[in-house]
Each structure stands twice: as structure tokens, then as C-alpha cells.
Amino acid sequence: MRLLTWGWGDGKSVRGYFSLESWIVGASLLLLMLLSWIYLFLMADGMKAMAGEGGSAKYMWLMPMGRWDVTDFVLGFLMWVIMMIGMMIPSAAPMIFLYAKIRRRAEANGRAFALTSIFSLGYFAIWAVFSLAATLLQYLLTEWRLYSDLMQTDNAGLSGLILFLAGLYQLTPWKNACLAHCQSPLGFLTNHWRDGAGGAFCMGVTHGGYCLGCCWLIMLVLFSVGVMNLFWIAVLSVFVLCEKFFATGKRVAYGTGVALVAFGLLRAIRIL
């Protein structure tokens, strides 16, 4: 596959692109992603213990269980926020790196790193809003007995509907429009540039909005395959990265959409 240029340059060596601040940004993102995945592994371990499949029961407190109270809702919200951070960092990194590069050229006294952090905060704030909505949906499905304490559904109709809608959305012009913004960091920064800390946060929120518009229904597929299924979390993370990182991303999105529609229909009529 042909990689997107990501607006990184004019054919010159990228050696000068990686400044000290770029390394700090990269190390920070990597650490945040690793911590997120460690948390997910611990939760998955607790899930195995709950299902009687081994694992360590000492991690079961990390997840909501039974009829939810306020603590369970908070734990569910944290789970979704951390999961979204771990899944989205790889595909968000090129935009964050490019923003840091441009800021480094314009700012002095280490201000570029601070503004890059604010930009990233704005981006993840959007995914925090999504996480709140996903937590509320999980709570409602649990209350309606459509979702188990093991964070998966055995309801073929619900599972098929989620897959079908996620696949259908992949084929829409709204999906393509949001994906186009995500595939062109330089174009996004050119068209949405704002100065100052407030501008950095607003730019992060705007980019997060496009990213959410691109991926929100794909993330809801986790309700069908299992919210804490690490295999499918990893698969969806790689998929999101591929459709944004490769020039054939729109074809990847379209092909995946057709497959999800088919799987959703088959699941709904209980063939799968």
C-alpha cells in the first residue's frame, strides 16, 4: 500500500523533523498508550477471573459489576476513556507530531510542548464525551438485561444491528468527509489554525470531532464483539490506523463497511 504523505515535507530528509521536543512528545504518547494497554490487560485478567477462566480476582474491582451504582458508572467511564486513549493514540500521533513541529518553529522557551499538550487535551476531550455516552449506553443495556457483567451480549438481534449500522455508516458521505480530514493533517492545520492556548485546545477539539465522526460507530462494534475483548480492541485499533495512514484508506473503509453489513445481517438471523 502507498503511504499518505501526511504533509511532512518537501522531499527533504526528515532528520531535522525530530527535535528534542518531538522526542518528548513521542515518548509521552508512547508512555500514555502503554499505560492504557496495561490497564486494559489488568481489566481483561479480572474479567477472566469473573468468568471462571483463570486470571486474577484482585483486578475485578476495576470494572463495573451487577446493578450499577455511582462507583460502577465512574469505573465504566474510566474504562472507556482509557480504552479510547490506547486505541486512538497511534492514528492521532501524526497530527500531534505535525502540530508540534509547526509550533516549534513559531514558539520559543519550550512553549511549543505546552501548546501541543493542550492540543492533545482538546482531542482527547472529544473522546471523553464519547466515552461518557458509551458508558451511559452500557449502563442502559445492562439495566435492560441485554448486556452481561462480562461486557458482551448474547442477543443476536442487538449484535447484528450494531454490526449492520457500523457497516452502513462506513459507506456514507459523512464517513468519507471525516476520513478525508483525518488523512490530511497538513490540510487540517492549514484550514483550522488558531493561535494561543485557547486556539490549540479548539483545534484539538475540532480534530477530535472529525476523528469521532470517522470512527464512533466502529468503536460501538465493541458492544457486539465484547467491550473487553483485547483481540478485537487491537484489531479495531489497527483498522483505524490503516484507514487513516494509507492512501487506500477509503477503499479499506468501504470494504470493511460491506463486510460488516453482511456479517450484521447474518448475525441477526443467527447464521453466525
Side-chain angles (χ1 to χ4, degrees):
M1 287 186 177
R2 181 169 63 87
L3 296 176
L4 290 169
T5 63
W6 293 102
W8 272 3
D10 48 10
K12 298 179 181 179
S13 168
V14 297
R15 181 175 57 183
Y17 174 79
F18 293 101
S19 66
L20 176 60
E21 285 185 336
S22 296
W23 284 109
I24 294 174
V25 169
S28 300
L29 291 176
L30 180 61
L31 178 61
L32 189 58
M33 184 176 69
L34 288 176
L35 290 175
S36 298
W37 277 93
I38 289 172
Y39 178 91
L40 294 177
F41 273 108
L42 294 179
M43 281 201 68
D45 200 45
M47 191 75 66
K48 288 181 180 179
M50 186 185 298
E53 300 175 355
S56 176
K58 67 182 180 180
Y59 300 123
M60 289 172 55
W61 68 272
L62 291 170
M63 65 195 72
M65 294 181 287
R67 294 187 63 84
W68 286 26
D69 55 19
V70 174
T71 300
D72 291 310
F73 193 91
V74 171
L75 288 174
F77 174 67
L78 288 176
M79 176 196 70
W80 276 99
V81 169
I82 293 172
M83 183 161 56
M84 291 302 101
I85 290 174
M87 293 179 71
M88 299 310 300
I89 280 179
S91 61
M95 178 72 79
I96 295 173
F97 271 120
L98 185 58
Y99 178 85
K101 175 186 176 182
I102 294 173
R103 280 298 189 187
R104 179 172 59 86
R105 290 179 174 177
E107 305 287 346
N109 301 323
R111 182 173 161 83
F113 178 75
L115 291 174
T116 302
S117 299
I118 294 172
F119 175 86
S120 303
L121 181 62
Y123 174 83
F124 288 116
I126 288 296
W127 283 105
V129 173
F130 168 82
S131 297
L132 182 61
T135 306
L136 179 59
L137 178 58
Q138 186 175 342
Y139 164 74
L140 292 175
L141 292 176
T142 302
E143 288 293 302
W144 296 335
R145 302 187 184 281
L146 293 173
Y147 216 68
S148 73
D149 291 343
L150 298 179
M151 300 186 194
Q152 59 187 18
T153 179
D154 295 323
N155 186 299
L158 174 61
S159 179
L161 179 62
I162 293 171
L163 293 172
F164 177 82
L165 292 177
L168 194 63
Y169 184 73
Q170 293 289 106
L171 311 178
T172 64
W174 302 291
K175 163 72 179 191
N176 288 333
C178 292
L179 181 58
H181 282 278
C182 294
Q183 286 183 321
S184 180
L186 183 59
F188 172 83
L189 294 177
T190 300
N191 293 322
H192 297 276
W193 188 265
R194 296 187 182 185
D195 291 320
F201 185 80
C202 288
M203 289 174 66
V205 168
T206 303
H207 177 52
Y210 283 121
C211 191
L212 178 63
C214 181
C215 304
W216 71 281
L217 263 170
I218 282 292
M219 293 304 170
L220 293 185
V221 166
L222 290 170
F223 281 106
S224 178
V225 299
V227 169
M228 281 309 302
N229 188 317
L230 293 182
F231 172 78
W232 284 110
I233 292 174
V235 168
L236 292 179
S237 300
V238 172
F239 166 75
V240 169
L241 178 63
C242 287
E243 71 171 359
K244 293 181 180 181
F245 194 67
F246 292 105
T248 55
K250 288 186 178 180
R251 277 180 281 177
V252 172
Y254 186 86
T256 304
V258 172
L260 286 173
V261 167
F263 286 141
L265 291 173
L266 292 174
R267 175 61 177 155
I269 59 179
R270 304 194 179 192
I271 292 179
L272 290 178

